[in-house]
Amino acid sequence: MMFNKIIRYKKLDSTNSLLSNLVRDEKIKDNLVIVADFQTKGRGQIEKKWYSEENKNLLFSIYIKPDNVSINQKSYFNIITSLAIIYSLKKFIKTSSIEIKSPNDILVDGRKISGILIETSIFKRKIKSLVIGVGININQKVFPFKENNPISMFQILKHNVDRNLILNLFLEFFSDLFVYFKNKDYDYLDNKYKYYLREF
């Protein structure tokens, strides 16, 4: 597995912000996972906010320092992340349709259950580092906002789900899918992504 170190926080402004600051200050050498029970300033794509009830959902970011990866290959990290989320959810959600809404949303029956935020550091057209933020609605029962028509695993399954179990599944699937990328099996990843991609 790619990730041997997980750091957990009760509260953070943003897992992506913390990791990005550590990267900027050159305080990280190995792949790392940051998890928070609550984010005060959770971020989504294009500076959108990510709202999550405390201690209910899975909020985390991963840091990767890829080896000699071109900026043109950045999209594969979105593909790998999306598929890892879907495969993790499918371990529990058997009867609903799970799809990708490009570029960064995962939908269950047309409702948003997860979002992705990828931030890169580039040097000479190579990806120097990646911070990938993921939010997955796990045990939240009610959402006080209508944007993106959110849904949680609890609302689908009618019972709580262990957030750590979902995190571990994700990290395992991500690590397995990353092997296809390292082996340059891009067709495999492209085809799997297209299978789940919802056209709008």
Side-chain angles (χ1 to χ4, degrees), residues 14-15 30-31 48 58 65 67 93 103 109 122 131 134-135 151 154 158 160 163 180 184-185 193:
S14 161
T15 55
D30 301 313
N31 296 339
K48 290 183 179 179
L58 183 56
K65 189 172 183 178
D67 182 29
I93 301 171
D109 292 335
I122 308 296
V131 173
V134 176
I151 194 169
F154 179 90
K158 310 305 180 187
N160 285 329
R163 290 178 293 161
Y180 288 96
K184 299 182 179 180
D185 195 348
Y193 184 79

Side-chain angles (χ1 to χ4, degrees), residues 158-174:
K158 310 305 180 187
H159 62 76
N160 285 329
V161 178
D162 186 337
R163 290 178 293 161
N164 289 327
L165 178 55
I166 301 297
L167 175 64
N168 290 335
L169 283 170
F170 172 88
L171 297 176
E172 289 175 9
F173 282 124
F174 189 100

Side-chain angles (χ1 to χ4, degrees), residues 105-130:
D105 292 345
I106 307 300
L107 310 179
V108 175
D109 292 335
R111 301 176 64 183
K112 183 172 178 175
I113 196 167
S114 178
I116 301 165
L117 176 64
I118 299 180
E119 299 175 299
T120 55
S121 173
I122 308 296
F123 181 71
K124 292 185 178 179
R125 298 197 60 79
K126 299 289 186 180
I127 297 176
K128 186 178 178 182
S129 66
L130 280 141

Side-chain angles (χ1 to χ4, degrees), residues 4-24:
N4 297 316
K5 189 172 184 180
I6 301 174
I7 301 177
R8 302 176 187 274
Y9 292 85
K10 289 291 184 184
K11 182 184 292 188
L12 281 177
D13 57 351
S14 161
T15 55
N16 255 44
S17 294
L18 175 61
L19 268 182
S20 295
N21 290 338
L22 292 173
V23 171
R24 182 194 62 206

Side-chain angles (χ1 to χ4, degrees), residues 12 20-21 36 45 53 61 79 94 107 140 142 161 174 178 187:
L12 281 177
S20 295
N21 290 338
Q45 197 77 10
E53 190 176 334
S61 296
I79 290 172
K94 307 292 186 180
L107 310 179
Q140 190 159 332
V142 178
V161 178
F174 189 100
F178 190 74
D187 286 343

Side-chain angles (χ1 to χ4, degrees), residues 22-196:
L22 292 173
V23 171
R24 182 194 62 206
D25 296 339
E26 299 183 345
K27 293 183 177 180
I28 308 178
K29 294 182 179 179
D30 301 313
N31 296 339
L32 178 64
V33 184
I34 299 284
V35 186
D37 288 332
F38 183 63
Q39 292 185 136
T40 58
K41 296 179 181 178
R43 294 185 289 127
Q45 197 77 10
I46 320 176
E47 295 304 316
K48 290 183 179 179
K49 292 184 178 180
W50 177 270
Y51 299 92
S52 177
E53 190 176 334
E54 191 168 357
N55 298 316
K56 293 295 184 182
N57 301 317
L58 183 56
L59 312 168
F60 67 97
S61 296
I62 61 177
Y63 164 79
I64 305 170
K65 189 172 183 178
D67 182 29
N68 196 35
V69 174
S70 166
I71 187 175
N72 297 327
Q73 295 175 304
K74 177 183 174 180
S75 63
Y76 282 102
F77 293 94
N78 186 285
I79 290 172
I80 292 168
T81 304
S82 298
L83 291 174
I85 293 169
I86 288 174
Y87 293 167
S88 301
L89 293 175
K90 286 175 71 70
K91 288 287 186 179
F92 295 84
I93 301 171
K94 307 292 186 180
T95 59
S96 298
S97 171
I98 306 178
E99 299 170 305
I100 299 165
K101 178 184 175 183
S102 181
N104 67 319
D105 292 345
I106 307 300
L107 310 179
V108 175
D109 292 335
R111 301 176 64 183
K112 183 172 178 175
I113 196 167
S114 178
I116 301 165
L117 176 64
I118 299 180
E119 299 175 299
T120 55
S121 173
I122 308 296
F123 181 71
K124 292 185 178 179
R125 298 197 60 79
K126 299 289 186 180
I127 297 176
K128 186 178 178 182
S129 66
L130 280 141
V131 173
I132 303 174
V134 176
I136 305 176
N137 297 329
I138 306 289
N139 295 322
Q140 190 159 332
K141 297 178 181 179
V142 178
F143 293 90
F145 54 92
K146 302 293 185 181
E147 186 179 0
N148 295 317
N149 195 16
I151 194 169
S152 68
M153 294 184 73
F154 179 90
Q155 291 175 325
I156 298 164
L157 302 172
K158 310 305 180 187
H159 62 76
N160 285 329
V161 178
D162 186 337
R163 290 178 293 161
N164 289 327
L165 178 55
I166 301 297
L167 175 64
N168 290 335
L169 283 170
F170 172 88
L171 297 176
E172 289 175 9
F173 282 124
F174 189 100
S175 299
D176 291 343
L177 289 161
F178 190 74
V179 173
Y180 288 96
F181 177 77
K182 287 182 66 177
N183 292 338
K184 299 182 179 180
D185 195 348
Y186 305 129
D187 286 343
Y188 175 88
L189 294 172
D190 286 334
N191 290 334
K192 290 294 184 181
Y193 184 79
K194 289 174 183 176
Y195 176 81
Y196 290 105

